[in-house]
Amino acid sequence: MTVTWEESGWERVAPGVGRCRLPVWDCTAGLVVGADAVLLVDAGSSLGEGARLRAEAQALTGRRVTHLALTHPHFDHVLGAAALAGAEVFGAVGVDTALTGRGREELRADAVRHGLDPRAAEEAVDALVRPRHAVCGERTLDLDLGGGRQVLLANVGPGHTAHDLAVLVPGDPEVVFCGDLVEESGEPQAGPDAVPSHWPAALDRLLELGGEDARYVPGHGAVVDAAFVRAQRDALAARFGVSR
């Protein structure tokens, strides 16, 4: 038996498209439902959160998650990925370098530094899955074999990281999952892996994808409009001294 978005605690953003705000780090996870496949956008900060997302997606759709898109390689977005067994995993080209070798140790340390239980961090990093599908430019996913629901994965970075992936869901309204290229609940965070000189251009690309009437889903915080994204683009350009 399936449940409604409201019953599950998810926010319905558009028909067949929803998102939830996970606790502690207020990280967004998105869900796109097609007739033949189900896409999850980001996987949470631990195997426990990944399992929660898997179970809630199953309750909402009556089917398992078949596809997982990772918007960028930060712990609060990727460490739940191994809980989505059998899902086809997508990421921006090069993201696997941040999820293997030294990148795994940095990911674990960053999670613990931000307050994740060390044992949970170790368990998630040990089980971490690398994306099988690297997106260079754009890639279309068919979630409905009849052509009724196609989703565009777009490698729009670098910006917040060197490997930023956005997810465009056509419809009325169109929805753009932005990852942490856009943050509503606080100033966008620019860590050591950020590429500030390219970040404003990445937001220009998001605006090109979605247009003026789209709903933009940030990596943290409430859903925003194009005017918010544009204002954040201008603020980042001023903050980092980037001109057009």
Side-chain angles (χ1 to χ4, degrees):
M1 179 179 177
T2 59
V3 299
T4 66
W5 296 105
E6 294 75 15
E7 289 171 336
S8 68
W10 284 61
E11 176 185 357
R12 181 180 179 272
V13 182
V17 185
R19 69 82 174 253
C20 71
R21 294 169 68 169
L22 295 165
V24 185
W25 294 284
D26 189 27
C27 180
T28 286
L31 194 65
V32 185
V33 185
D36 300 292
V38 177
L39 168 68
L40 183 70
V41 181
D42 286 335
S45 64
S46 66
L47 292 176
E49 279 196 338
R52 169 194 160 181
L53 292 170
R54 181 192 66 218
E56 290 180 356
Q58 179 89 30
L60 277 163
T61 67
R63 289 174 283 136
R64 71 176 184 87
V65 172
T66 55
H67 299 72
L68 171 62
L70 300 177
T71 61
H72 63 287
H74 283 172
F75 82 93
D76 48 338
H77 297 259
V78 304
L79 286 188
L84 283 299
E88 295 290 328
V89 185
F90 297 78
V93 66
V95 73
D96 56 333
T97 62
L99 302 179
T100 56
R102 182 177 177 82
R104 284 192 177 219
E105 176 54 31
E106 292 174 350
L107 196 63
R108 183 201 64 77
D110 191 48
V112 172
R113 185 165 54 250
H114 280 85
L116 185 64
D117 177 80
R119 287 175 296 180
E122 193 76 36
E123 179 185 30
V125 169
D126 284 348
L128 191 61
V129 296
R130 296 167 55 187
R132 284 188 57 197
H133 307 282
V135 180
C136 179
E138 298 178 353
R139 178 164 182 166
T140 299
L141 295 183
D142 289 312
L143 302 185
D144 180 350
L145 297 181
R149 168 138 281 173
Q150 293 184 320
V151 173
L152 182 70
L153 307 182
N155 185 339
V156 297
H160 177 65
T161 72
H163 315 291
D164 292 309
L165 187 74
V167 179
L168 170 67
V169 188
D172 186 15
E174 294 194 328
V175 178
V176 182
F177 288 97
C178 308
D180 286 5
L181 286 167
V182 177
E183 295 191 45
E184 184 276 335
S185 53
E187 186 175 80
Q189 298 300 302
D193 57 345
V195 188
S197 61
H198 291 267
W199 200 332
L203 296 190
D204 286 336
R205 180 67 179 128
L206 287 181
L207 290 165
E208 290 173 3
L209 285 171
E212 287 300 307
D213 298 325
R215 304 195 74 193
Y216 293 85
V217 183
H220 301 267
V223 176
V224 300
D225 59 12
F228 181 96
V229 177
R230 188 172 296 106
Q232 193 154 95
R233 182 253 180 241
D234 293 343
L236 286 166
R239 175 179 167 189
F240 297 122
V242 179
S243 60
R244 286 188 180 272

